[in-house]
Amino acid sequence: MKAIRFWFLVFLQIFIVLQGCNKKFNDYYNPESTLGRSILGVLEEKGGFNDFLGLIDRVGLQKSLSESAIFTCIAPKDEFVKAYFIDHLKYPSLEQVPDAEVRAYINYHFINGMYYTYDLEKRYRSATSEINKSRITNYRTRTEGKQPGKNIRIYSPSFFDVQASDFNFLYGKEGSAGFYIDGVAISLEEHDIDARNGVVHILKEALFPNLRTDLAIAKDPDLSLFSTWIERHAQFVLGEVDENGVLDTNLYKNFSFGRNLADENTLSTLFAPTNAAITEYFKPYMGLIDNTLDSVPKHVMYSLIRSSVHANLWYPSDLKRNQPQWSALTGFISFGNPALESITGYTAASNSFIYKTNRVMESPEMSSVLSGILMMYKKYSQWYWMVKNRGLGSGIIDALFYQHSPKTLLVQSDEIWGSPFAQDMDALTLEARLQSCKAGIFHFDVHADGGFKRRFYPTDYGYILFENNKLIDYSGNSVGLVQSEPVWVKPTGAIFEIDGFLKPIDKLDPEQTVWKKIKAQSDLSRFAALVEKAGLVAELQLTGFFVYSIFAPSNAAMLAAGIDPAKVNVTDAKAIVNRHIVTNRYLFTDGVFNGQLTNKNGENLQFTGAWNTFRVSTNKSTASVLNTLMNQQGSNGVLHEINNVLLAN
C-alpha cells in the first residue's frame, strides 16, 4: 500500500506540472481554427487586407506565399499599405507603384520560419548572455531570387524588462508589454493565427521597410559628408555565371574599406560623424586640404571610415557594458563610454545600427604620428608612397589597441628627395632609400622631451647623434633640421623636416662588425689578441644574431693590469673578455642611461656619468671611456675604449 501511495503521489505531481505547462503554452499560442487555409487564405477570410492581397496577386506571389515555405506573416491592413506607398512614398495610387517596390514591400512582411509569440518570447529568455539577448532580436525577411531578405528586429515583453531604454532610444517611444516589429506594435487581440504554411500576426500600425546602411546614410541630411566619404569608396561588380554559363549582368555594389554596407547579410554598427563633427575635426587642417572638405584625402577618409564601422549589432546598453568583443575594422579597440556620450541621434537601417556622433572616431593611423604623412601627402608624397607600398609605416602605430609607442619622424620634402621618385627606382636603390628613411624614425618623442638635445637617439638602423644643430649618423654623415619646430605633432610623437638623408647601418655587413672595428684599432691589439685566445672571434664577427656592446681596455690598460695575452690560458682569457661585454647595442656616454647591466659572465656592471665623466665599474674597479674611441657603431654592436681593465666582483 505504501508503494502504491508513493507512485500515486508522483504521478499526481507530474500531472499538475504538465497541466501548468500546457496552460502556459496555450496562453501564448491560443490558435484559431484555420489550419486548412494558407496565410493568404487566412487574410482573405479575415477581411481588411484587400490591398495587400491585391499587390500579391499583381506580382504573382500567390503560390510562393501559400505553398513554397513556412513563414511568419506580419500582416498590414489596407490603410497601412496606403500609408506607405501613397502618404510616405507619394505615389498617386497603388497601381503606379513599380513591381520591384511592390515585391520588396511584400517580402518585408514575411519572415522566414514560423514564430508564435511564445517562440519570440522563449528565444529571448533562453539567450545565455546579455549580448546574446540583443542579437536574438534579429530576424530575416523573405529572400526572393537574388534579392536577399532584410534584417528586422522583433521585441517581446521580456525585452522591455531588460532593455526598455534601448527601445526608447531607437524608436523614440516607450514600449508596452506587447510585441513589436522594428518599433511597430503587433495587435494584442489578433496574433498567433494558425495557417497551414505558418502563422499570422496583425499589425496595429504601418511597418515601413528600412533602407540598407549606405542608402540610409545617404538619406540623412546630417550625414551628407560621411555619405560622400563612403560613396567615394564604392565599387560595382557584375554578378556570377550560373550553372548554364549565363552571366548575371546586374551590377552589385560593395565598398573597398573592408565591410560591405550594401550587403543585407552583413550586420554592422556605425558611429557616423555628423557634418558638424567632420567640420570641427578638420578645422585645424584646412590649410592642408585647400580650405575645403571636398579635398580631404581619400586615404584619410578610408582610415576614419574603418574606425567608424564595427562588426555586428550593438544596442546602446551593449555599448554601456563595453563588451570586449566590440571591434572596428581597424582591429580590437575600446572607445568605451566616450563613444556612447558622443551619440547625438540615430538613423534606422535594415542591416545596421547607425549612431550619429558629434565627434569623429579617430583611427589608429590618424591618432598616431603617421597621420601627418597621410594629411601632408602633397608635400611628402614620396614618404606617403613608401608608407603605402613599402611598409615604411610598419611599427609606427599599434592598430589593435591605440597604444602607440612614442615616435619621431625625420622626413624629407619631395624637393630634397630628388629624382628619380620612389616608384621609378630599381629594386636595390629603392631598398637602400627605404632603409635611409627608417634611419630617421626615432623610438622616442623628441617634441615631448622639449626638443632636440645633445644625445644619441635610437632607431632600428643605429643611433643618431644630435650635436651642434646637426643630426649625425654612425658614419659621420650629417643632415640639418629645416626648422627647429616640428611640422606635425600628435600625443604619441612628432614629425620634423630634414634637409638630407641619414645613412643606415647594414646589420648584415661583415666588414662593419665589432670584431673588425677592434682589429682596426692599433691601440686595442692586446685586447684583440685576448679575444683570439678566448676563441670568441667568430661570435663577435657574426651578424644578424648576436648584438653586443664592448668596453675594450686599451693596450696601456692591459699592460698596467699585467695581462699578457700570450701567457693567459683560454679559460681566463674568455672570462676577462666576457667581463667587458654586455648584450645589446648601447651608447652610454650621453648620460641618458645610468644604472646596472649584466655582462656575459653574469656579473653586474654599473654605469654613471655622461660624456667626459662617463664611467663603467665593478665592485673592485672603475674605468673611464676614452674620447679617442667611443660609441663606434658596427653592424652587430658598439665598441667603446676604456682606460682600465675591469676586475671580477
Side-chain angles (χ1 to χ4, degrees):
M1 282 297 292
K2 289 184 179 180
I4 294 173
R5 182 180 299 173
F6 170 79
W7 285 110
F8 173 77
L9 292 174
V10 169
F11 286 127
L12 179 62
Q13 288 178 334
I14 293 174
F15 176 78
I16 292 171
V17 170
L18 290 177
Q19 283 296 100
C21 291
N22 187 55
K23 182 178 186 300
K24 183 177 179 182
F25 181 86
N26 288 333
D27 285 344
Y28 275 99
Y29 277 83
N30 192 26
E32 298 182 16
S33 300
T34 54
L35 287 177
R37 293 184 179 275
S38 67
I39 288 174
L40 303 189
V42 169
L43 297 180
E44 184 176 3
E45 183 179 85
K46 289 190 71 65
F49 299 95
N50 291 336
D51 288 334
F52 190 55
L53 293 171
L55 291 176
I56 291 172
D57 288 344
R58 173 179 147 188
V59 294
L61 287 177
Q62 306 96 320
K63 186 173 182 179
S64 296
L65 298 178
S66 298
E67 301 177 10
S68 66
I70 300 297
F71 298 111
T72 298
C73 177
I74 311 300
K77 296 179 180 179
D78 290 342
E79 60 266 33
F80 302 158
V81 176
K82 291 184 176 69
Y84 177 64
F85 286 116
I86 296 176
D87 299 338
H88 180 64
L89 295 183
K90 306 302 181 184
Y91 285 105
S93 67
L94 294 180
E95 289 73 22
Q96 293 179 272
V97 180
D99 284 357
E101 287 193 44
V102 169
R103 299 179 83 93
Y105 178 79
I106 293 168
N107 288 331
Y108 197 69
H109 289 76
F110 282 84
I111 296 171
N112 296 323
M114 183 167 59
Y115 297 101
Y116 291 85
T117 53
Y118 175 85
D119 301 312
L120 302 174
E121 180 78 323
K122 183 180 178 181
R123 271 169 54 104
Y124 185 85
R125 286 183 173 178
S126 299
T128 56
S129 67
E130 291 175 301
I131 189 61
N132 286 339
K133 288 182 180 297
S134 292
R135 302 282 160 77
I136 210 68
T137 61
N138 204 62
Y139 293 77
R140 292 299 299 274
T141 63
R142 180 176 181 267
T143 297
E144 183 180 4
K146 294 180 180 178
Q147 297 303 315
K150 284 183 171 290
N151 293 277
I152 196 168
R153 265 66 66 182
I154 304 181
Y155 307 108
S156 67
S158 289
F159 179 89
F160 296 101
D161 294 337
V162 180
Q163 297 178 243
S165 61
D166 291 331
F167 187 89
N168 181 264
F169 181 90
L170 297 182
Y171 304 108
K173 59 184 179 182
E174 300 289 339
S176 66
F179 293 81
Y180 289 79
I181 311 289
D182 262 344
V184 174
I186 293 175
S187 171
L188 292 175
E189 296 78 26
E190 297 181 288
H191 62 270
D192 292 339
I193 304 171
D194 280 319
R196 69 167 182 262
N197 66 324
V199 63
V200 178
H201 305 296
I202 308 300
L203 290 169
K204 288 184 65 176
E205 310 167 62
L207 177 64
F208 292 177
N210 283 323
L211 298 172
R212 70 181 189 222
T213 305
D214 57 321
L215 301 179
I217 291 173
K219 193 175 180 180
D220 191 327
D222 291 337
L223 302 177
S224 59
L225 287 174
F226 190 61
S227 177
T228 300
W229 286 11
I230 289 173
E231 292 305 317
R232 287 187 64 175
H233 294 83
Q235 51 197 14
F236 296 85
V237 296
L238 289 169
E240 299 179 353
V241 177
D242 65 19
E243 63 275 9
N244 299 316
V246 178
L247 175 65
D248 178 5
T249 57
N250 291 315
L251 290 176
Y252 294 91
K253 187 178 184 182
N254 56 49
F255 295 91
S256 62
F257 47 76
R259 195 163 188 82
N260 190 5
L261 304 182
D263 182 1
E264 292 284 0
N265 296 312
T266 301
L267 302 180
S268 308
T269 294
L270 276 72
F271 294 98
T274 62
N275 295 343
I278 293 174
T279 301
E280 182 65 23
Y281 181 83
F282 285 101
K283 187 182 294 183
Y285 312 129
M286 294 303 290
L288 298 175
I289 56 176
D290 301 326
N291 291 307
T292 170
L293 290 173
D294 292 337
S295 297
V296 172
K298 186 176 180 180
H299 46 265
V300 172
M301 295 179 186
Y302 175 89
S303 182
L304 294 175
I305 288 171
R306 285 174 58 83
S307 193
S308 299
V309 181
H310 295 246
N312 225 315
L313 300 176
W314 295 83
Y315 284 98
S317 61
D318 301 323
L319 302 180
K320 287 181 181 178
R321 289 194 302 274
N322 195 21
Q323 296 284 333
Q325 301 96 323
W326 183 20
S327 62
L329 295 179
T330 46
F332 170 74
I333 60 174
S334 180
F335 288 126
N337 285 331
L340 190 63
E341 293 164 2
S342 73
I343 295 173
T344 60
Y346 173 77
T347 296
S350 57
N351 59 332
S352 68
F353 287 164
I354 304 172
Y355 298 109
K356 296 193 285 189
T357 62
N358 60 13
R359 69 183 181 96
V360 173
M361 297 300 169
E362 275 201 329
S363 62
E365 293 89 348
M366 292 306 294
S367 66
S368 75
V369 70
L370 185 61
S371 61
I373 303 301
L374 300 180
M375 286 296 294
M376 298 188 291
Y377 76 106
K378 292 180 180 179
K379 184 175 183 180
Y380 305 114
S381 68
Q382 294 308 290
W383 262 77
Y384 173 73
W385 190 91
M386 296 286 273
V387 164
K388 289 298 182 182
N389 297 281
R390 286 296 180 271
L392 181 54
S394 177
I396 294 179
I397 64 170
D398 174 3
L400 294 181
F401 293 98
Y402 287 65
Q403 297 171 352
H404 316 300
S405 58
K407 291 288 188 292
T408 297
L409 272 59
L410 304 178
V411 304
Q412 302 81 14
S413 66
D414 290 351
E415 290 78 10
I416 296 298
W417 187 281
S419 181
F421 275 1
Q423 52 265 49
D424 297 322
M425 289 179 173
D426 62 69
L428 289 177
T429 305
L430 183 61
E431 180 60 27
R433 180 56 60 87
L434 174 63
Q435 293 183 16
S436 293
C437 291
K438 288 184 175 181
I441 300 178
F442 295 174
H443 306 313
F444 183 87
D445 187 353
V446 171
H447 182 258
D449 193 46
F452 283 95
K453 299 177 175 63
R454 186 192 181 204
R455 62 162 296 180
F456 287 96
Y457 291 100
T459 78
D460 285 337
Y461 290 85
Y463 280 71
I464 303 298
L465 172 65
F466 182 80
E467 190 173 42
N468 298 323
N469 292 317
K470 292 288 185 180
L471 292 151
I472 307 165
D473 61 37
Y474 83 101
S475 70
N477 168 58
S478 66
V479 301
L481 291 171
V482 173
Q483 61 187 42
S484 60
E485 293 300 313
V487 297
W488 188 267
V489 176
K490 280 288 181 178
T492 55
I495 299 177
F496 292 83
E497 187 177 331
I498 57 176
D499 60 9
F501 288 91
L502 295 163
K503 187 175 181 180
I505 287 178
D506 181 355
K507 298 178 182 178
L508 300 179
D509 187 352
E511 299 303 317
Q512 294 290 329
T513 63
V514 286
W515 170 244
K516 291 286 187 178
K517 292 188 175 295
I518 292 171
K519 286 291 287 183
Q521 300 298 325
S522 58
D523 195 37
L524 298 178
S525 59
R526 285 177 174 264
F527 185 73
L530 203 62
V531 171
E532 291 173 335
K533 173 64 73 73
L536 295 174
V537 170
E539 186 174 333
L540 299 184
Q541 178 63 15
L542 186 64
T543 62
F545 191 70
F546 296 112
V547 179
Y548 295 127
S549 293
I550 301 175
F551 297 85
S554 64
N555 286 344
M558 295 278 285
L559 187 62
I563 298 175
D564 183 351
K567 297 179 181 179
V568 177
N569 62 46
V570 172
T571 300
D572 290 342
K574 191 170 185 178
I576 294 171
V577 171
N578 283 338
R579 184 171 299 120
H580 294 80
I581 300 176
V582 297
T583 304
N584 290 325
R585 189 187 301 266
Y586 292 105
L587 289 88
F588 297 97
T589 55
D590 58 13
V592 172
F593 178 86
N594 280 270
Q596 182 174 283
L597 291 173
T598 303
N599 62 23
K600 286 191 65 184
N601 285 339
E603 303 160 333
N604 292 327
L605 301 181
Q606 299 291 331
F607 298 90
T608 58
W611 304 112
N612 293 337
T613 65
F614 178 73
R615 302 287 186 271
V616 56
S617 60
T618 66
N619 292 341
K620 295 182 179 180
S621 58
T622 298
S624 299
V625 175
L626 299 176
N627 292 332
T628 54
L629 183 61
M630 63 167 64
N631 302 322
Q632 296 294 302
Q633 299 187 66
S635 55
N636 64 343
V638 184
L639 174 64
H640 306 276
E641 183 179 4
I642 57 177
N643 67 353
N644 202 1
V645 174
L646 299 176
L647 303 178
N649 289 329

